[in-house]
Each structure stands twice: as C-alpha cells, then as structure tokens.
Amino acid sequence: MTFAELWAELLPVGRDERTGGYRRYSWTEADAGCRAWFARTATKLGLRTDFDRNGNLWAWWGRPTGTSGQAIATGSHLDSVPDGGPYDGPLGIASAFAAISQLREQGFRPARPIGVAAFTEEEGGRFGVACLGSRLATGAIDVDTARQLRDRTGVSLAEAMRSAGRDASLLGPDDELLEGLAAYVELHIEQGSALAGLGAPIAVAEGIWPHGRWRIDFTGQADHAGTTRLADRRDPMLPYALTVLAARAAAAAHGALATFGRVIAEPGGTNAISSVVHAWLDARAPDAATLDELVSDIWVAAQSAASQHGVGVEQRPESVAPLVSFDKRLRDRLVTVLGKAGFTAPVLATGAGHDAGVLAARIPTAMLFVRNPTGISHSPAELAEAADCEAGVTALAAVLADLAGE
Ligand code: GLV
Ligand code: MN
Ligand code: MN
C-alpha cells in the first residue's frame, strides 16, 4: 500500500468545498470519517485497531504485552484547526501506515510491537485545549475539567464522546499504555520553511518552545451606535484593539510570538456597541521566562486599555505547555539512522505544539519534520511535495526498523 494511495483516500474527508480547508473537529462526522479511514487502512495492513481509554485510536503490529517488550509508537493526529491544511497531523499517520507497508514488503519482522496512534483533539479546535488526548493519557489535565470542556455550541466533551459511541467515564491517566511504550516518534509536516533553505527534505526536532492560550474577556455596555456620544461609550472593542497592538509590540520586543486569531464580539449587531468581546491570545517564546514576561506585558496593556475605556477585563489560561527538549539519545540515534538511510537531517526547534511534546514528560520522544516549501501551515495553502512525503515514509521506515528491530 503506497503513501499516494492512502493519501488519496483520506483527502476528501472533512474538506470544506468553499475554502478548500479542513474542518476535522474531534468527535464530529468528519472525525468519524477520518477514524474510519484509519481503521480500514489498519485492517488492510493486518493491524489490530483499538481505542485507549481517552479515545485515542491505535493500530498495532504485534501485541504490546509484558513478554514482547516495550512497543515503539508512531503516529500523530487526524483533527484540524478551522480550515487547516491537509498535512498537519494526517501526514504522520499516513506515513506510518505506508512505512509499515514498506517494512512488510521488505520482509522486516519487528522484535517489538509497533503502534500507530491517532491522538484526539491535538489542535484544541473544538474544546479549546491543545493535545487533549495526550494530556489525558499523561495526566497533564484534570479529568473532570476535561469532561466538562465545552465546544462553541455548549456541547461538553463527555456528551460529544457519548454521541460518538465512546465512554467518557473511562477518561484518565493511562499508565498501562505509557509503561508499554519504549519510545514515540512523530513525523510531522514542517511548519516553517527552514528545510527549503537548507535543501533537505527531512529534519529531526530539537525541541518545542513553551506556549499557551489565554482567554481574555472585555465587558462593556451595549448601546446604540447612532445615538451614544463617543464620550459616553464603554465599548469593549477599543481595549481589545489596543491589546492586539500591544501584543504585537510586546512579541517584537521579546523576540517571541503573540497572535489573536479568534475573537467574538457579542451580541454582534452592526448598529450597536458590543456588550462583551471574547478574545483568545496565543503566545509562544523561546524560554519560559520570556513567555511569562510576554504574557504579563500583554495583560498589563489589556488592563490599562480596559480601565481607560471604562471596560471590565478578565483573563484565564486555557492550555499552557512548557519548554520541551526531546530525548537527546533518541534524537542522536535518529540522526545516525537517517544518515545511514541517505538523509542529512538538520536538527530544528519549533514553536508549534505536538502530542510528542506532551508525551516527552513520560517517555522518550522524537520528531521528524518533512519539508514544507512555503512554510505555510494552519491554512488551506499548506503544502508538501509528493517526493518529500515519500522521503518521509522511507525515513520513518528506517527509524522504525532500527527501534523495533532485533
Ligand atoms: C499546534 O498545531 C499548535 O498550535 O502549535
Ligand atoms: Mn497544528
Ligand atoms: Mn500537528
């Protein structure tokens, strides 16, 4: 089974015809379509599929048991951001299946089980918390808090899982699963264009910047757009706008990144001053101290702008991830294996979050990046060349053969 065949089958699932972007939110119909593709593909490859207690989907080559030794896991996620590109997540899973198919054809017999994972809600696109499935598995989120997370229409995670036929009462830390894993290697589209500059198709990840999401609510006074004198307004849109500009300036001053990509003005009348503006800050920095300073500077600016306009303001973190340095021994081993397979793989840090980063707190993890010629990601314009996807499969197959071989 080739990568191109696997890929062609998955491509139409969850794509919005108008934008060309993907809307694969967890526990929706599109997600079920992606999971059905996963199960079908696993079955064709003779792999056994199961759910773990947190709704993450697994396909196993060999059974992870006490006697067979710890397994080697690979995979990524099938969910997307709103109007995401096709590669972010699914590339790692399709590549894993294609790599297993390639290893099978080569007559490789794993000495350890190999597992392919599809982690649930990596993007936090429906319930707001990034890497939800791996956070639950590692105990990095309180279970009751997770069950009560709500999507934009008020449906809770527990209800969404129930509608999809899963049991949310099982959610929680999965020590049995993690203790059965020797390592997790996630292949992912590069979300920048460093590899294009270096002329290399594959990189190995060094680490992930600390990052997080904060919700900021500005509460003002709804009023008439045509009759309320400027001096009498308590318009929450104004401190929101000033905070966006302050975030940009603070990010530039700290050598960091800050983004407002989601905002809701309520009640949303063209001819009315808003009563409340909900805004979500995404902030990322090379180290924890800089991230703290960045977020604190933005919060000070938000408070000052709110007070200047007679508006109330509150903030709370929705999901925060610490600095991750991937396991050095595993990373060095990957670079060596890739070198033998003909790839000179540079080692790159990234500002993007991944389940591998969450799992790194519990097991040795590593990542492979596949060249992205434009660097664009979280967008329908995200791209990887077919030849680079094939190179990714070959690279991952070499890594799995090394880690799961005799
Ligand atoms: C995941 O893609 C992230 O937001 O970093
Ligand atoms: Mn992403
Ligand atoms: Mn991703």
Side-chain angles (χ1 to χ4, degrees):
M1 200 180 293
T2 66
F3 175 84
E5 285 162 359
L6 290 170
W7 196 243
E9 220 189 298
L10 180 62
L11 266 189
V13 184
R15 183 167 53 203
D16 183 79
E17 290 306 324
R18 195 176 53 84
T19 63
Y22 288 86
R23 298 176 180 184
R24 293 168 172 166
Y25 309 130
S26 54
W27 306 120
T28 60
E29 211 179 304
D31 184 49
C34 291
R35 289 173 189 263
W37 165 85
F38 182 103
R40 263 196 322 275
T41 309
T43 304
K44 280 187 215 160
L45 284 168
L47 311 178
R48 187 176 48 88
T49 304
D50 61 28
F51 280 95
D52 66 23
R53 58 187 295 176
N54 294 302
N56 305 309
L57 194 51
W58 290 83
W60 291 104
W61 185 4
R63 192 173 279 269
T65 64
T67 51
S68 61
Q70 288 177 306
I72 302 301
T74 183
S76 191
H77 59 98
L78 292 168
D79 66 309
S80 77
V81 296
D83 281 341
Y87 298 93
D88 178 356
L91 181 65
I93 295 174
S95 301
F97 285 135
I100 287 176
S101 179
Q102 204 175 89
L103 290 172
R104 277 250 163 88
E105 279 164 25
Q106 291 163 4
F108 173 78
R109 295 176 74 85
R112 295 162 177 273
I114 296 179
V116 180
F119 285 101
T120 300
E121 182 88 356
E122 190 268 358
E123 301 285 10
R126 181 166 182 192
F127 294 103
V129 174
C131 298
L132 185 56
S134 53
R135 276 179 198 262
L136 279 161
T138 55
I141 182 169
D142 173 69
V143 181
D144 287 327
T145 308
R147 277 196 200 101
Q148 285 160 31
L149 290 169
R150 293 197 181 266
D151 72 6
R152 297 171 197 215
T153 65
V155 175
S156 71
L157 174 65
E159 289 160 354
M161 288 186 72
R162 208 173 303 127
S163 315
R166 305 310 313 164
D167 181 359
S169 73
L170 299 176
L171 292 179
D174 200 338
D175 292 339
E176 198 188 336
L177 173 77
L178 295 173
E179 280 161 16
L181 301 180
Y184 175 68
V185 180
E186 178 169 353
L187 177 147
H188 203 277
I189 177 98
E190 182 193 9
Q191 295 174 297
S193 56
L195 282 176
L198 295 167
I202 306 292
V204 173
E206 189 269 325
I208 300 178
W209 280 16
H211 59 282
R213 305 170 176 194
W214 289 261
R215 173 172 161 165
I216 308 181
D217 296 321
F218 298 93
T219 306
Q221 174 62 56
D223 214 331
H224 198 294
T227 57
T228 317
R229 293 187 317 151
L230 294 181
D232 294 339
R233 295 180 180 215
R234 289 171 48 221
D235 183 349
M237 199 60 95
L238 297 171
Y240 162 65
L242 289 164
T243 305
V244 174
L245 298 175
R248 170 70 183 227
H254 287 291
L257 299 167
T259 307
F260 284 93
R262 178 179 173 199
V263 58
I264 300 172
E266 288 184 359
T270 305
N271 53 352
I273 295 161
S274 299
S275 58
V276 56
V277 171
H278 307 288
W280 282 261
L281 166 69
D282 178 305
R284 311 187 187 219
D287 59 79
T290 307
L291 181 64
D292 282 351
E293 283 169 29
L294 171 67
V295 174
S296 154
D297 285 0
I298 296 169
W299 176 231
V300 167
Q303 287 175 297
S304 142
S307 122
Q308 192 187 325
H309 289 280
V311 166
V313 64
E314 288 178 1
Q315 67 100 355
R316 64 182 164 83
E318 281 201 338
S319 71
V320 182
L323 175 73
V324 172
S325 297
F326 288 114
D327 188 271
K328 172 93 168 61
R329 271 177 51 194
L330 184 58
R331 190 203 317 158
D332 289 347
R333 183 162 168 176
L334 260 57
V335 171
T336 306
V337 170
L338 293 177
K340 285 187 194 149
F343 298 101
T344 307
V347 178
L348 302 176
T350 179
H354 301 284
D355 295 302
V358 174
L359 295 173
R362 294 289 301 275
I363 57 174
T365 60
M367 290 191 73
L368 300 177
F369 292 136
V370 172
R371 174 165 52 194
N372 177 336
T374 62
I376 294 176
S377 190
H378 284 186
S379 152
E382 181 185 68
L383 190 68
E385 300 293 350
D388 288 348
C389 295
E390 290 298 343
V393 172
T394 305
L396 184 60
V399 167
L400 294 177
D402 174 61
L403 296 176
E406 292 296 342

